[in-house]
Coordinates of all heavy atoms in Angstrom, one line a residue:
K746 N 0.7 -1.2 0.0 CA -0.1 0.0 0.1 C 0.9 1.3 -0.1 O 0.7 2.2 -0.7 CB -1.0 0.0 1.2 CG -1.9 1.1 1.3 CD -2.8 1.0 2.4 CE -3.6 2.2 2.5 NZ -4.6 2.3 3.6
A747 N 1.9 1.3 0.8 CA 2.8 2.4 0.9 C 3.4 2.8 -0.4 O 3.6 3.9 -0.9 CB 3.8 2.2 2.0
M748 N 3.9 1.6 -1.2 CA 4.5 1.7 -2.4 C 3.6 2.4 -3.5 O 3.9 3.2 -4.2 CB 5.0 0.4 -2.9 CG 5.8 0.4 -4.2 SD 7.4 1.2 -3.9 CE 8.3 0.0 -3.2
R749 N 2.3 1.9 -3.5 CA 1.4 2.3 -4.5 C 1.0 3.9 -4.2 O 0.8 4.5 -5.1 CB 0.1 1.5 -4.4 CG 0.0 0.4 -5.4 CD -1.3 -0.2 -5.5 NE -1.2 -1.6 -5.3 CZ -1.4 -2.3 -4.2 NH1 -1.8 -1.7 -3.1 NH2 -1.3 -3.6 -4.1
E750 N 0.9 4.1 -3.0 CA 0.6 5.5 -2.6 C 1.8 6.5 -2.7 O 1.7 7.7 -2.5 CB 0.0 5.6 -1.2 CG -1.3 4.9 -1.2 CD -2.1 4.8 0.2 OE1 -1.5 5.4 1.2 OE2 -3.1 4.2 0.2
G751 N 3.1 5.9 -2.8 CA 4.2 6.8 -2.8 C 4.6 7.4 -1.6 O 5.3 8.4 -1.5
K752 N 4.3 6.8 -0.5 CA 4.6 7.4 1.0 C 6.1 6.8 1.3 O 6.2 5.8 1.8 CB 3.5 6.8 1.9 CG 2.2 7.4 1.6 CD 1.1 7.0 2.6 CE -0.1 7.6 2.4 NZ -1.1 7.3 3.4
L753 N 7.0 7.7 1.1 CA 8.4 7.4 1.3 C 8.7 7.0 2.6 O 9.5 6.0 2.7 CB 9.2 8.6 0.8 CG 9.0 8.9 -0.7 CD1 10.1 10.1 -1.0 CD2 9.4 7.8 -1.6
D754 N 8.2 7.8 3.7 CA 8.5 7.2 5.0 C 8.0 6.0 5.3 O 8.7 5.1 5.9 CB 7.9 8.3 6.0 CG 8.7 9.7 6.0 OD1 9.8 9.7 5.5 OD2 8.0 10.7 6.4
A755 N 6.7 5.6 4.9 CA 6.1 4.2 5.0 C 7.0 3.2 4.4 O 7.2 2.0 4.9 CB 4.7 4.2 4.7
I756 N 7.4 3.4 3.1 CA 8.3 2.4 2.4 C 9.5 2.2 3.0 O 9.9 1.0 3.3 CB 8.5 3.0 0.9 CG1 7.2 3.2 0.2 CG2 9.4 2.1 0.1 CD1 7.4 3.8 -1.1
R757 N 10.2 3.3 3.5 CA 11.5 3.2 4.2 C 11.3 2.4 5.5 O 12.2 1.6 5.8 CB 12.0 4.7 4.6 CG 13.4 4.6 4.9 CD 13.9 6.1 5.2 NE 13.8 7.0 4.1 CZ 14.8 7.0 3.1 NH1 15.9 6.3 3.3 NH2 14.7 7.9 2.2
A758 N 10.2 2.5 6.2 CA 10.0 1.8 7.4 C 9.6 0.3 7.2 O 9.7 -0.5 8.1 CB 8.9 2.4 8.2
S759 N 9.4 -0.1 5.9 CA 8.9 -1.4 5.7 C 9.9 -2.4 5.0 O 9.5 -3.4 4.7 CB 7.6 -1.4 5.0 OG 7.8 -0.8 3.7
V760 N 11.1 -1.8 4.7 CA 12.1 -2.5 3.9 C 13.3 -2.6 4.8 O 13.6 -1.8 5.6 CB 12.5 -1.8 2.6 CG1 11.1 -1.9 1.7 CG2 13.0 -0.4 2.7
V761 N 14.2 -3.5 4.3 CA 15.4 -3.8 5.2 C 16.3 -2.5 4.9 O 16.1 -1.7 3.9 CB 16.3 -5.0 4.6 CG1 15.4 -6.3 5.0 CG2 16.5 -5.0 3.1
P762 N 17.2 -2.2 5.8 CA 18.1 -1.0 5.7 C 18.8 -0.8 4.4 O 18.9 0.3 3.8 CB 19.0 -1.1 6.8 CG 18.4 -2.0 7.8 CD 17.5 -2.9 7.1
E763 N 19.3 -1.8 3.8 CA 19.9 -1.8 2.5 C 19.0 -1.2 1.3 O 19.5 -0.4 0.5 CB 20.5 -3.1 2.1 CG 21.5 -3.7 2.9 CD 21.0 -4.6 4.2 OE1 19.8 -4.7 4.3 OE2 21.8 -4.9 5.1
R764 N 17.9 -1.7 1.4 CA 16.9 -1.1 0.4 C 16.5 0.3 0.7 O 16.2 1.0 -0.1 CB 15.7 -2.2 0.3 CG 15.9 -3.4 -0.4 CD 14.8 -4.0 -0.8 NE 14.1 -3.6 -1.9 CZ 13.1 -4.0 -2.4 NH1 12.6 -5.1 -2.1 NH2 12.4 -3.4 -3.5
A765 N 16.3 0.6 2.1 CA 16.0 2.0 2.4 C 17.1 2.9 2.0 O 16.7 4.0 1.5 CB 15.7 2.0 3.9
A766 N 18.4 2.5 2.1 CA 19.3 3.4 1.6 C 19.3 3.7 0.1 O 19.7 4.8 -0.4 CB 20.7 2.7 2.0
M767 N 18.8 2.8 -0.7 CA 18.6 3.0 -2.1 C 17.7 4.2 -2.4 O 17.8 4.8 -3.4 CB 18.1 1.8 -2.8 CG 19.2 0.6 -2.8 SD 18.8 -0.9 -3.7 CE 17.0 -0.9 -4.0
M768 N 16.9 4.5 -1.4 CA 15.9 5.5 -1.7 C 16.5 6.9 -1.6 O 15.9 8.0 -1.9 CB 14.8 5.5 -0.6 CG 14.0 4.2 -0.7 SD 12.7 4.0 0.6 CE 11.7 5.5 0.5
D769 N 17.7 7.0 -1.2 CA 18.5 8.2 -1.1 C 18.9 8.7 -2.4 O 19.5 9.7 -2.7 CB 19.6 8.1 -0.1 CG 19.2 7.9 1.2 OD1 18.0 8.4 1.7 OD2 19.9 7.3 2.1
N770 N 19.0 7.7 -3.4 CA 19.4 8.0 -4.8 C 18.4 9.1 -5.4 O 17.3 8.9 -5.3 CB 19.3 6.7 -5.6 CG 19.8 6.8 -7.0 OD1 19.6 7.9 -7.6 ND2 20.5 5.8 -7.6
P771 N 19.1 10.2 -5.9 CA 18.2 11.2 -6.5 C 17.2 10.7 -7.6 O 16.2 11.3 -7.9 CB 19.2 12.1 -7.2 CG 20.5 11.8 -6.6 CD 20.3 10.5 -6.1
D772 N 17.6 9.5 -8.3 CA 16.7 9.0 -9.3 C 15.5 8.0 -8.7 O 14.7 7.5 -9.5 CB 17.4 8.2 -10.2 CG 18.5 8.9 -11.0 OD1 18.2 10.1 -11.3 OD2 19.5 8.4 -11.4
F773 N 15.5 7.9 -7.4 CA 14.5 7.0 -6.8 C 13.0 7.4 -7.1 O 12.3 6.5 -7.5 CB 14.7 6.8 -5.3 CG 13.6 5.9 -4.7 CD1 13.8 4.5 -4.8 CD2 12.6 6.4 -4.1 CE1 12.7 3.8 -4.3 CE2 11.6 5.5 -3.5 CZ 11.7 4.2 -3.7
K774 N 12.8 8.7 -7.1 CA 11.4 9.2 -7.4 C 11.0 8.7 -8.8 O 9.8 8.3 -8.9 CB 11.2 10.6 -7.1 CG 11.2 11.1 -5.8 CD 10.8 12.4 -5.5 CE 10.8 12.6 -3.9 NZ 10.4 14.0 -3.7
E775 N 11.8 8.9 -9.7 CA 11.4 8.4 -11.1 C 11.3 6.9 -11.1 O 10.5 6.3 -11.8 CB 12.6 8.8 -12.1 CG 12.3 8.5 -13.5 CD 13.4 8.9 -14.5 OE1 13.9 10.0 -14.2 OE2 13.8 8.1 -15.4
M776 N 12.2 6.2 -10.5 CA 12.1 4.7 -10.4 C 10.7 4.3 -9.6 O 10.1 3.3 -10.1 CB 13.2 4.0 -9.6 CG 14.6 4.1 -10.4 SD 15.9 3.3 -9.6 CE 16.1 4.1 -8.2
L777 N 10.3 5.0 -8.7 CA 9.0 4.7 -7.9 C 7.9 4.7 -8.9 O 7.1 3.9 -8.9 CB 9.0 5.7 -6.8 CG 7.7 5.6 -5.9 CD1 7.6 4.1 -5.3 CD2 7.6 6.7 -4.9
G778 N 7.9 5.7 -9.7 CA 6.8 5.8 -10.7 C 6.7 4.6 -11.7 O 5.7 4.0 -11.9
L779 N 7.9 4.0 -12.0 CA 7.9 2.9 -12.9 C 7.4 1.6 -12.1 O 6.7 0.9 -12.5 CB 9.3 2.6 -13.4 CG 9.6 1.4 -14.2 CD1 8.7 1.3 -15.4 CD2 11.0 1.2 -14.5
I780 N 8.0 1.6 -10.8 CA 7.6 0.4 -10.0 C 6.1 0.4 -9.7 O 5.4 -0.6 -9.8 CB 8.3 0.5 -8.5 CG1 9.8 0.3 -8.8 CG2 7.7 -0.5 -7.6 CD1 10.6 0.6 -7.5
Q781 N 5.6 1.6 -9.6 CA 4.0 1.7 -9.3 C 3.3 1.3 -10.5 O 2.2 0.6 -10.3 CB 3.6 3.2 -8.9 CG 4.2 3.5 -7.5 CD 3.9 5.0 -7.2 OE1 4.2 5.9 -8.1 NE2 3.6 5.4 -6.0
A782 N 3.9 1.6 -11.6 CA 3.0 1.3 -12.9 C 3.0 -0.3 -13.2 O 2.0 -0.7 -13.8 CB 3.8 1.9 -14.0
I783 N 4.1 -1.0 -12.7 CA 4.0 -2.4 -13.0 C 3.7 -3.3 -11.9 O 3.5 -4.4 -12.1 CB 5.6 -2.8 -13.5 CG1 6.6 -2.7 -12.5 CG2 5.9 -2.1 -14.9 CD1 7.9 -3.1 -12.8
M784 N 3.6 -2.7 -10.8 CA 3.2 -3.3 -9.4 C 1.7 -3.8 -9.6 O 0.8 -3.1 -9.8 CB 3.4 -2.6 -8.2 CG 3.1 -3.2 -7.0 SD 3.5 -2.0 -5.7 CE 3.9 -3.3 -4.5
P785 N 1.5 -5.2 -9.2 CA 0.2 -5.8 -9.3 C -0.8 -5.0 -8.3 O -0.2 -4.6 -7.2 CB 0.3 -7.3 -9.1 CG 1.8 -7.5 -9.5 CD 2.5 -6.2 -9.2
S786 N -2.0 -5.2 -8.6 CA -3.0 -4.6 -7.5 C -3.7 -6.0 -6.8 O -3.4 -7.1 -7.4 CB -4.0 -3.8 -8.1 OG -4.7 -4.4 -9.1
D787 N -4.4 -5.8 -5.8 CA -5.1 -6.9 -5.2 C -4.3 -8.0 -4.8 O -4.4 -9.3 -5.1 CB -6.3 -7.5 -6.1 CG -7.2 -6.4 -6.4 OD1 -7.7 -5.6 -5.5 OD2 -7.7 -6.4 -7.6
I788 N -3.1 -7.8 -4.3 CA -1.9 -8.7 -3.8 C -2.5 -9.6 -2.7 O -3.1 -9.0 -1.8 CB -0.7 -8.0 -3.5 CG1 -0.1 -7.2 -4.8 CG2 0.3 -9.0 -3.0 CD1 1.1 -6.4 -4.5
A789 N -2.4 -10.9 -2.9 CA -2.7 -11.8 -1.8 C -1.7 -12.8 -1.5 O -0.9 -13.1 -2.5 CB -4.0 -12.6 -2.3
V790 N -1.5 -13.1 -0.4 CA -0.5 -14.2 0.1 C -1.1 -15.5 -0.2 O -2.2 -15.9 0.5 CB 0.0 -13.9 1.5 CG1 1.0 -15.0 1.9 CG2 0.6 -12.5 1.7
V791 N -0.4 -16.3 -1.0 CA -0.9 -17.7 -1.3 C -0.3 -18.7 -0.2 O -1.0 -19.6 0.3 CB -0.5 -18.2 -2.7 CG1 -1.0 -19.5 -2.9 CG2 -1.1 -17.2 -3.7
K792 N 1.0 -18.5 0.1 CA 1.7 -19.4 1.0 C 2.8 -18.6 1.8 O 3.5 -17.8 1.1 CB 2.3 -20.6 0.3 CG 3.0 -21.5 1.1 CD 3.6 -22.8 0.2 CE 4.4 -23.6 1.1 NZ 5.0 -24.6 0.2
A793 N 2.9 -18.9 3.0 CA 4.1 -18.3 3.7 C 5.0 -19.3 4.4 O 4.4 -20.2 5.0 CB 3.6 -17.3 4.8
T794 N 6.2 -19.2 4.3 CA 7.1 -20.1 4.8 C 8.3 -19.4 5.7 O 8.9 -18.6 5.1 CB 7.8 -20.9 3.7 OG1 7.0 -21.5 2.8 CG2 8.8 -22.0 4.3
E795 N 8.1 -19.7 6.9 CA 9.0 -18.9 7.8 C 10.2 -19.8 8.3 O 9.9 -21.0 8.7 CB 8.2 -18.3 9.1 CG 9.0 -17.7 10.1 CD 8.2 -17.3 11.1 OE1 6.9 -17.0 11.1 OE2 8.8 -16.9 12.2
T796 N 11.3 -19.3 8.3 CA 12.6 -20.2 8.7 C 13.3 -19.2 9.7 O 14.1 -18.4 9.1 CB 13.4 -20.6 7.6 OG1 12.5 -21.4 6.7 CG2 14.5 -21.6 8.2
G797 N 13.2 -19.3 10.9 CA 14.0 -18.4 11.8 C 13.4 -17.0 11.6 O 12.4 -16.6 11.6
D798 N 14.6 -16.1 11.2 CA 14.4 -14.8 11.0 C 14.1 -14.5 9.5 O 14.4 -13.3 9.2 CB 15.6 -13.9 11.6 CG 15.5 -13.9 13.1 OD1 14.5 -14.2 13.7 OD2 16.6 -13.6 13.6
S799 N 13.8 -15.5 8.7 CA 13.6 -15.2 7.2 C 12.3 -15.8 6.9 O 11.7 -16.7 7.6 CB 14.6 -15.9 6.4 OG 15.9 -15.4 6.6
A800 N 11.6 -15.3 5.9 CA 10.3 -15.7 5.5 C 10.2 -15.6 3.9 O 10.8 -14.6 3.4 CB 9.2 -15.0 6.1
E801 N 9.5 -16.4 3.3 CA 9.2 -16.4 1.9 C 7.7 -16.3 1.7 O 7.0 -17.2 2.3 CB 9.9 -17.4 1.1 CG 9.7 -17.4 -0.3 CD 10.4 -18.3 -1.2 OE1 11.6 -18.1 -1.5 OE2 9.8 -19.3 -1.5
L802 N 7.3 -15.4 1.0 CA 5.8 -15.3 0.7 C 5.6 -15.5 -0.9 O 6.2 -15.1 -1.6 CB 5.2 -13.9 1.1 CG 5.5 -13.4 2.5 CD1 4.8 -11.9 2.5 CD2 4.8 -14.3 3.4
E803 N 4.7 -16.4 -1.1 CA 4.2 -16.8 -2.4 C 3.0 -15.8 -2.6 O 2.1 -15.9 -1.8 CB 3.8 -18.1 -2.6 CG 5.0 -18.9 -2.7 CD 4.8 -20.5 -3.0 OE1 3.8 -20.8 -3.7 OE2 5.5 -21.4 -2.4
L804 N 2.9 -15.0 -3.6 CA 2.0 -14.0 -3.8 C 1.2 -14.1 -5.1 O 1.7 -14.6 -6.2 CB 2.6 -12.6 -3.8 CG 3.6 -12.3 -2.6 CD1 4.3 -10.9 -3.0 CD2 2.7 -12.2 -1.4
T805 N 0.0 -13.6 -5.3 CA -0.7 -13.4 -6.6 C -1.2 -12.0 -6.5 O -1.4 -11.3 -5.6 CB -2.1 -14.4 -6.6 OG1 -2.8 -14.2 -5.7 CG2 -1.5 -15.7 -6.7
G806 N -1.4 -11.4 -7.8 CA -2.0 -10.0 -8.0 C -2.4 -10.0 -9.4 O -2.1 -10.9 -10.3
K807 N -3.0 -8.9 -9.7 CA -3.4 -8.6 -11.1 C -2.7 -7.4 -11.6 O -2.6 -6.2 -10.8 CB -4.9 -8.5 -11.4 CG -5.7 -9.8 -11.0 CD -7.1 -9.6 -11.3 CE -7.7 -11.0 -11.0 NZ -9.1 -10.9 -11.4
N808 N -2.3 -7.4 -12.9 CA -1.8 -6.1 -13.5 C -2.4 -6.0 -14.9 O -2.2 -7.0 -15.7 CB -0.2 -6.3 -13.6 CG 0.4 -4.9 -13.9 OD1 -0.3 -4.0 -14.5 ND2 1.7 -4.8 -13.8
D809 N -3.1 -5.0 -15.2 CA -3.6 -4.9 -16.6 C -4.6 -6.1 -16.8 O -4.8 -6.5 -18.0 CB -2.9 -4.7 -17.6 CG -2.1 -3.4 -17.6 OD1 -2.5 -2.5 -17.0 OD2 -0.8 -3.2 -18.0
G810 N -5.4 -6.6 -15.7 CA -6.3 -7.6 -15.9 C -5.6 -9.1 -16.0 O -6.3 -10.0 -16.0
Q811 N -4.3 -9.1 -16.0 CA -3.7 -10.4 -16.1 C -3.2 -10.8 -14.7 O -2.7 -10.1 -13.9 CB -2.4 -10.3 -17.0 CG -2.7 -10.2 -18.4 CD -1.5 -10.3 -19.3 OE1 -0.5 -9.7 -18.9 NE2 -1.6 -10.9 -20.4
E812 N -3.4 -12.0 -14.4 CA -3.0 -12.7 -13.0 C -1.5 -12.8 -13.2 O -0.8 -13.3 -14.0 CB -3.6 -14.1 -13.0 CG -3.4 -14.7 -11.6 CD -4.3 -14.1 -10.5 OE1 -5.3 -13.5 -10.9 OE2 -3.9 -14.2 -9.4
K813 N -0.8 -12.4 -12.0 CA 0.6 -12.4 -11.8 C 1.0 -13.2 -10.7 O 0.2 -13.2 -9.6 CB 1.2 -11.1 -11.7 CG 1.0 -10.1 -12.9 CD 1.7 -10.5 -14.1 CE 1.4 -9.5 -15.2 NZ 2.2 -9.8 -16.4
S814 N 2.2 -13.9 -10.5 CA 2.6 -14.5 -9.4 C 3.8 -14.0 -9.1 O 4.7 -13.5 -9.8 CB 2.8 -16.0 -9.7 OG 3.7 -16.4 -10.6
G815 N 4.1 -13.9 -7.6 CA 5.3 -13.4 -7.3 C 5.9 -14.0 -5.9 O 5.1 -14.9 -5.4
I816 N 7.0 -13.6 -5.6 CA 7.7 -14.0 -4.4 C 8.2 -12.9 -3.7 O 8.8 -12.0 -4.3 CB 8.9 -15.0 -4.8 CG1 8.4 -16.2 -5.5 CG2 9.7 -15.4 -3.5 CD1 7.9 -17.2 -4.7
A817 N 8.1 -12.8 -2.4 CA 8.6 -11.8 -1.5 C 9.5 -12.4 -0.4 O 9.0 -13.4 0.2 CB 7.5 -10.9 -0.9
T818 N 10.6 -11.9 -0.2 CA 11.4 -12.5 0.9 C 11.5 -11.4 2.0 O 11.6 -10.2 1.7 CB 12.8 -12.8 0.4 OG1 13.4 -11.8 -0.1 CG2 12.8 -14.0 -0.5
L819 N 11.3 -11.8 3.2 CA 11.3 -10.9 4.3 C 12.4 -11.3 5.4 O 12.8 -12.6 5.3 CB 9.9 -10.9 5.0 CG 8.8 -10.2 4.3 CD1 8.3 -11.1 3.2 CD2 7.7 -9.9 5.2
K820 N 12.8 -10.4 6.0 CA 13.8 -10.6 7.1 C 13.3 -9.9 8.4 O 12.8 -8.8 8.4 CB 15.1 -9.9 6.7 CG 16.3 -10.3 7.5 CD 17.6 -9.7 6.9 CE 18.8 -10.2 7.7 NZ 20.0 -9.7 7.0
K821 N 13.4 -10.6 9.6 CA 12.9 -10.1 10.8 C 14.2 -9.4 11.4 O 15.3 -10.0 11.7 CB 12.5 -11.2 11.8 CG 11.9 -10.6 13.0 CD 11.5 -11.7 14.0 CE 10.2 -12.3 13.6 NZ 9.7 -13.3 14.7
I822 N 14.0 -8.1 11.6 CA 15.1 -7.2 12.3 C 14.4 -6.5 13.4 O 13.5 -5.8 13.3 CB 15.6 -6.2 11.2 CG1 16.2 -6.9 10.1 CG2 16.6 -5.3 11.9 CD1 16.7 -6.1 9.0
N823 N 15.1 -6.8 14.7 CA 14.5 -6.0 15.9 C 13.0 -6.4 16.1 O 12.3 -5.5 16.4 CB 14.7 -4.6 15.9 CG 16.3 -4.2 15.8 OD1 17.0 -4.9 16.5 ND2 16.6 -3.2 15.1
G824 N 12.7 -7.6 15.8 CA 11.3 -8.1 16.0 C 10.3 -7.7 15.0 O 9.1 -7.9 15.1
K825 N 10.7 -6.9 13.9 CA 9.8 -6.5 12.8 C 10.1 -7.1 11.5 O 11.3 -7.2 11.1 CB 9.9 -5.0 12.7 CG 8.9 -4.4 11.9 CD 9.1 -2.9 11.9 CE 8.1 -2.2 10.8 NZ 8.3 -0.8 10.7
W826 N 9.0 -7.7 10.7 CA 9.3 -8.2 9.5 C 9.5 -7.1 8.5 O 8.6 -6.2 8.3 CB 8.2 -9.2 9.1 CG 8.1 -10.3 9.9 CD1 7.3 -10.7 10.8 CD2 9.0 -11.5 9.6 NE1 7.7 -12.0 11.3 CE2 8.6 -12.4 10.5 CE3 10.1 -11.8 8.8 CZ2 9.3 -13.8 10.7 CZ3 10.7 -13.0 8.8 CH2 10.2 -13.9 9.7
L827 N 10.7 -7.2 7.7 CA 10.8 -6.0 6.7 C 11.1 -6.8 5.3 O 11.7 -7.8 5.3 CB 12.1 -5.2 7.0 CG 12.1 -4.6 8.4 CD1 13.4 -4.0 8.7 CD2 11.0 -3.6 8.5
M828 N 10.6 -6.0 4.3 CA 10.9 -6.6 2.9 C 12.2 -6.6 2.6 O 12.8 -5.4 2.6 CB 9.9 -5.8 2.0 CG 10.0 -6.2 0.5 SD 9.1 -7.6 0.1 CE 7.5 -7.1 0.4
E829 N 12.8 -7.5 2.0 CA 14.1 -7.7 1.6 C 14.1 -7.7 0.0 O 15.0 -7.1 -0.5 CB 14.6 -9.0 2.1 CG 16.2 -9.2 1.9 CD 16.8 -10.2 2.7 OE1 16.3 -11.3 2.8 OE2 18.0 -10.1 3.1
R830 N 13.3 -8.4 -0.6 CA 13.2 -8.6 -1.9 C 11.8 -8.9 -2.5 O 11.2 -9.7 -1.8 CB 14.3 -9.6 -2.5 CG 14.3 -9.6 -3.9 CD 15.4 -10.6 -4.4 NE 15.4 -10.6 -5.7 CZ 16.2 -11.3 -6.5 NH1 17.0 -12.2 -6.0 NH2 16.2 -11.2 -7.9
E831 N 11.4 -8.5 -3.6 CA 10.1 -8.8 -4.2 C 10.3 -9.0 -5.7 O 11.0 -8.1 -6.3 CB 9.1 -7.8 -4.0 CG 7.8 -8.0 -4.4 CD 6.8 -6.8 -4.0 OE1 7.2 -5.8 -3.3 OE2 5.7 -6.9 -4.3
S832 N 9.6 -10.0 -6.3 CA 9.7 -10.2 -7.7 C 8.5 -10.8 -8.3 O 7.7 -11.5 -7.6 CB 10.9 -11.2 -8.1 OG 10.8 -12.4 -7.7
W833 N 8.1 -10.4 -9.6 CA 6.7 -10.8 -10.1 C 7.1 -11.3 -11.5 O 8.0 -11.0 -12.2 CB 5.9 -9.5 -10.2 CG 5.4 -9.1 -8.9 CD1 6.0 -8.2 -8.1 CD2 4.2 -9.7 -8.2 NE1 5.2 -8.1 -6.9 CE2 4.1 -8.9 -7.0 CE3 3.3 -10.6 -8.5 CZ2 3.2 -9.1 -6.1 CZ3 2.4 -10.8 -7.6 CH2 2.2 -10.1 -6.4
K834 N 6.2 -12.4 -11.9 CA 6.3 -12.9 -13.2 C 4.8 -12.6 -13.9 O 3.8 -12.6 -13.2 CB 6.4 -14.5 -13.2 CG 7.6 -14.9 -12.5 CD 7.6 -16.4 -12.6 CE 8.6 -17.0 -11.6 NZ 8.6 -18.4 -11.4

């Protein structure tokens, strides 16, 4: 939701520190527009697999009416799950 709405503070708070640091790049706002354009809507978690402080989510969503599948990896840092990586097909 934060990504779709372009709320930089909320995005920064929901990702691992390495990804948050990438937001300091002056080109990030332009990249954000591209990410928002290709990001599926109506995202649902199909399966979650947790292993210690790591988790993998299998996702589904729609983009331009087409069903998409994706994988998100999360990492628990200081008791909070943060997005490490997300990819869609």
Side-chain angles (χ1 to χ4, degrees):
K746 182 177 176 179
M748 185 69 76
R749 266 191 235 96
E750 294 176 1
K752 295 184 177 181
L753 298 180
D754 288 340
I756 296 168
R757 192 179 297 277
S759 67
V760 298
V761 295
E763 297 83 6
R764 288 196 67 178
M767 292 183 342
M768 293 175 61
D769 294 333
N770 182 322
D772 295 330
F773 180 76
K774 286 189 179 185
E775 185 177 318
M776 290 185 299
L777 178 60
L779 176 63
I780 294 167
Q781 289 170 318
I783 63 173
M784 184 175 205
S786 60
D787 301 321
I788 296 172
V790 176
V791 176
K792 182 180 176 183
T794 306
E795 183 180 338
T796 308
D798 287 342
S799 297
E801 182 175 279
L802 306 178
E803 293 180 26
L804 310 168
T805 61
K807 290 187 179 180
N808 190 348
D809 292 331
Q811 292 185 318
E812 189 77 23
K813 302 288 181 179
S814 61
I816 299 287
T818 55
L819 289 80
K820 187 174 185 179
K821 189 185 278 188
I822 299 176
N823 296 325
K825 184 177 179 183
W826 287 105
L827 301 174
M828 179 75 67
E829 189 169 36
R830 184 173 181 189
E831 182 179 4
S832 64
W833 291 91
K834 299 180 199 173

